[in-house]
Amino acid sequence: MRLVCRLLFIGVLGMVVPAVAVGQPQANYDESKVPDYTLPDPLVTRSREKVTTAREWFAKRRPEVLGLFEEHVYGRAPEPLEGMRFMRLESSAKALDGKAVRKQVRVLFSAEESGPAMDLLIYLPKDAPRPVPVFLGLNFNGNHSVHADPAILLSTKWIRDRAPGVEKNRATEAARGTASSRWPIEAMLQRGYGVATAYSGDIDPDFHDGFENGVHPLFYGEGQTKPADDEWGTIAAWAWGLSRALDYFETDDDIDQRRVAVLGHSRLGKTALWAGARDPRFALVISNNSGCGGAALSRRAFGETVERINTSFPHWFCGNFKKYNGREGELPVDQHQLIALIAPRPVFVSSATEDRWADPRGEFLAAKGAEPVYRLLEAGGLDADEPPPPDEPVLSRIGYWIRTGPHDITAADWQVFADFADKHMRAADE
Ligand code: GTR
């Protein structure tokens, strides 16, 4: 009996079934109850002009859509400060049993050495020709969690308590390598890619403190105490941090800054999409199980809704996004347009069969909905009209797959991402 209880308990903890918040309607998982909706046409401007050339897309519609996402969804982010600089913390040419070069670099967001700052952890395949293409993504619980390599600097920052090996919001030695199943670094090195990561909490800790910690205050104007309603929330800050990593790559001859794939899982998948949409220096973009506010269409209100996400995570999006709680149909954009902002660059949307909270069908439909922009730019499209069967990746320029299994990022996902990158990022240059 006790065992049964325990198993039930673990079973419940192991699933991503968010507790029902008081006053929140039950999430809809019934396809027949998805509301009727009309998506904004990605090629028609707010003044109802249809753009018909690549030039018009880049001159008119793309800046308009980007501006709408800034104003209504993620918030505007500032330019980096002049005083930003990079500090080499550690490096080794004999990391991971001699298979890798490891570098740890601090990105100081201002001239102040006391912070805020983000530590980059970079592994490059030892013998691959330079410069190497790299996968870049933020992590949830500190760089030390991605691999058991004892040389990784143990984060001293705030980390959520329920993360393994974390006590009183600080990492202990037991936290090393606890997220390694999500970071198959050796396998990627073997495929000729570098892997770079930073702790999202270095940029902004993932809890709502009214934007006192993290990078936001560095940019407050006179008398300002929090971002304005159209200024950056936490996801926009994380995405901004990814661009600062790219700023560093531009100074490192070992890294091919023209072949950087940005990726992320879940909230960090939303972040990767927004980073890739804003910053055209990212050559390829991967969203893993990003769901609401990521790859999933908001208007379907399937699984997690705009109201639900704004209530559970009031700090993720900009203040204006809350106006759309329960009113998704009034949003001037939907998430297919976020993917369209990445065009003509390759983008891959990865779902999971058990991840209904993230609305896999809505993720597929958003990827498909970006297609008119890719076609206009003669960049191909998504070679599927309906979601493919589980575990059958579609590797067209807009790529998609749905992995069998739960909300997670796995070694199998990474292998598919490497296949996609081989096709769209490697082959072109070699
Ligand atoms: C959930 C959240 C999702 C997703 C996920 C995650 O609680 O509702 O939007 O981002 O967290 O990041 O793991």
Side-chain angles (χ1 to χ4, degrees), residues 140 266-267 270 304 309 313 316 357 407:
F140 282 78
S266 206
R267 67 198 67 184
K270 310 179 207 295
E304 189 170 32
I309 204 165
F313 307 100
W316 280 1
W357 183 240
H407 182 75

